[in-house]
Amino acid sequence: ELEKRHEENLSTASPSIEPLPTDDFRMTVEVSLTCNSCNYTRSKEEMYRCLAIDLPQNQGPDAVAHIPTSLDQFFEPEELELRCEKCAEGTHASQTMKILSRPRMLLLQLK
């Protein structure tokens, strides 16, 4: 219901409509897959309100120091096994993520 209301807010240019409380956490990310055989790329936009990042297992009292590194790892390119929709040979692709719009407040789930 909140997402529907948010889409309605975006589609109307009326300044009298209040933003949703969750809008402060809204981040838009472009996720791209590129075939390693033919270099065909497909992209889509995804919306995040929270990023779940991995912390090292032996975090101890200095766990906060690992957050920038963990964020870098979250956005690093990743190799995936999947069939290319354009060529017959493509069985692997590189996935990249690029932030299109940043949130006012970043919510992190530390795993």
Side-chain angles (χ1 to χ4, degrees), residues 52-56 63 65-76 110-111:
I53 61 172
D54 293 317
L55 287 178
H66 296 291
I67 291 175
T69 303
S70 296
L71 279 169
D72 287 341
Q73 289 173 350
F74 183 86
F75 286 101
E76 278 184 358
L110 307 177
K111 304 188 295 176

Coordinates of all heavy atoms in Angstrom, one line a residue, residues 52-56 63 65-76 110-111:
A52 N 21.7 -4.9 2.6 CA 22.2 -5.9 3.5 C 23.6 -6.2 3.2 O 23.9 -6.8 2.1 CB 21.3 -7.2 3.4
I53 N 24.6 -5.8 4.0 CA 26.0 -6.0 3.7 C 26.6 -7.0 4.7 O 26.2 -7.1 5.8 CB 26.8 -4.7 3.8 CG1 26.7 -4.0 5.1 CG2 26.3 -3.7 2.7 CD1 27.6 -2.8 5.3
D54 N 27.6 -7.7 4.2 CA 28.3 -8.7 5.0 C 29.5 -8.1 5.7 O 30.2 -7.3 5.1 CB 28.8 -9.9 4.1 CG 27.7 -10.7 3.5 OD1 26.8 -11.0 4.2 OD2 27.8 -11.0 2.2
L55 N 29.6 -8.4 7.0 CA 30.8 -8.0 7.8 C 31.6 -9.2 7.9 O 31.2 -10.4 7.9 CB 30.3 -7.5 9.1 CG 29.7 -6.1 9.2 CD1 29.3 -5.8 10.6 CD2 30.6 -5.1 8.6
P56 N 33.0 -9.0 8.1 CA 33.8 -10.2 8.3 C 33.4 -10.9 9.6 O 32.9 -10.3 10.5 CB 35.2 -9.5 8.5 CG 35.1 -8.2 7.9 CD 33.7 -7.8 8.0
A63 N 34.1 -3.4 14.4 CA 33.2 -3.8 13.3 C 32.9 -2.6 12.4 O 32.8 -2.7 11.2 CB 32.0 -4.4 13.8
A65 N 34.7 -0.2 11.5 CA 35.8 0.1 10.5 C 35.6 -0.7 9.2 O 36.1 -0.4 8.2 CB 37.1 -0.2 11.1
H66 N 34.9 -1.8 9.3 CA 34.7 -2.7 8.1 C 33.5 -2.3 7.2 O 33.4 -2.8 6.1 CB 34.5 -4.1 8.5 CG 35.6 -4.7 9.3 ND1 36.8 -5.0 8.6 CD2 35.8 -5.1 10.6 CE1 37.7 -5.5 9.5 NE2 37.1 -5.5 10.7
I67 N 32.7 -1.3 7.6 CA 31.5 -1.0 6.9 C 31.9 -0.4 5.5 O 31.3 -0.8 4.5 CB 30.6 0.0 7.7 CG1 30.0 -0.8 8.8 CG2 29.5 0.6 6.8 CD1 29.1 0.0 9.8
P68 N 32.8 0.6 5.3 CA 33.1 1.1 4.0 C 33.6 -0.1 3.1 O 33.2 -0.1 1.9 CB 34.2 2.1 4.2 CG 34.0 2.6 5.6 CD 33.5 1.3 6.4
T69 N 34.4 -1.0 3.6 CA 34.9 -2.1 2.8 C 33.8 -3.0 2.4 O 33.7 -3.5 1.2 CB 36.0 -2.9 3.6 OG1 37.0 -2.0 3.9 CG2 36.5 -4.1 2.8
S70 N 32.8 -3.3 3.3 CA 31.7 -4.1 3.0 C 30.8 -3.5 2.0 O 30.2 -4.1 1.1 CB 30.9 -4.4 4.3 OG 31.7 -5.1 5.2
L71 N 30.6 -2.1 2.0 CA 29.8 -1.4 1.0 C 30.5 -1.6 -0.4 O 29.8 -1.8 -1.4 CB 29.6 0.0 1.4 CG 28.5 0.3 2.4 CD1 28.6 1.8 2.9 CD2 27.2 0.0 1.8
D72 N 31.8 -1.4 -0.4 CA 32.5 -1.6 -1.7 C 32.3 -3.0 -2.2 O 32.1 -3.2 -3.4 CB 34.0 -1.3 -1.5 CG 34.4 0.1 -1.3 OD1 33.6 1.0 -1.6 OD2 35.5 0.4 -0.8
Q73 N 32.4 -4.0 -1.4 CA 32.1 -5.4 -1.8 C 30.7 -5.6 -2.3 O 30.5 -6.3 -3.3 CB 32.4 -6.3 -0.7 CG 33.9 -6.4 -0.3 CD 34.2 -7.3 0.9 OE1 33.3 -7.7 1.6 NE2 35.4 -7.6 1.1
F74 N 29.7 -4.9 -1.7 CA 28.4 -5.1 -2.2 C 28.2 -4.6 -3.6 O 27.4 -5.2 -4.4 CB 27.4 -4.2 -1.2 CG 26.0 -4.4 -1.6 CD1 25.2 -5.4 -1.0 CD2 25.3 -3.5 -2.4 CE1 23.9 -5.5 -1.3 CE2 24.0 -3.6 -2.7 CZ 23.3 -4.6 -2.1
F75 N 28.9 -3.5 -4.0 CA 28.8 -3.0 -5.3 C 29.9 -3.4 -6.3 O 29.9 -3.0 -7.5 CB 28.8 -1.4 -5.3 CG 27.5 -0.9 -4.7 CD1 27.4 -0.4 -3.4 CD2 26.4 -0.8 -5.5 CE1 26.3 0.1 -2.9 CE2 25.2 -0.3 -5.0 CZ 25.1 0.1 -3.7
E76 N 30.7 -4.4 -5.9 CA 31.7 -4.9 -6.8 C 31.0 -5.8 -7.9 O 30.0 -6.4 -7.7 CB 32.7 -5.8 -6.1 CG 33.8 -5.1 -5.4 CD 34.8 -6.0 -4.7 OE1 34.6 -7.3 -4.8 OE2 35.7 -5.5 -4.1
L110 N 23.5 -5.2 8.8 CA 24.8 -5.8 9.0 C 24.6 -7.3 9.2 O 24.0 -7.7 10.2 CB 25.6 -5.2 10.1 CG 25.6 -3.6 10.0 CD1 26.4 -3.1 11.3 CD2 26.3 -3.2 8.7
K111 N 25.2 -8.1 8.3 CA 25.1 -9.6 8.4 C 26.4 -10.1 8.9 O 27.4 -9.7 8.6 CB 24.7 -10.2 7.1 CG 23.4 -9.6 6.5 CD 23.0 -10.4 5.3 CE 23.9 -10.3 4.1 NZ 23.6 -11.1 3.0

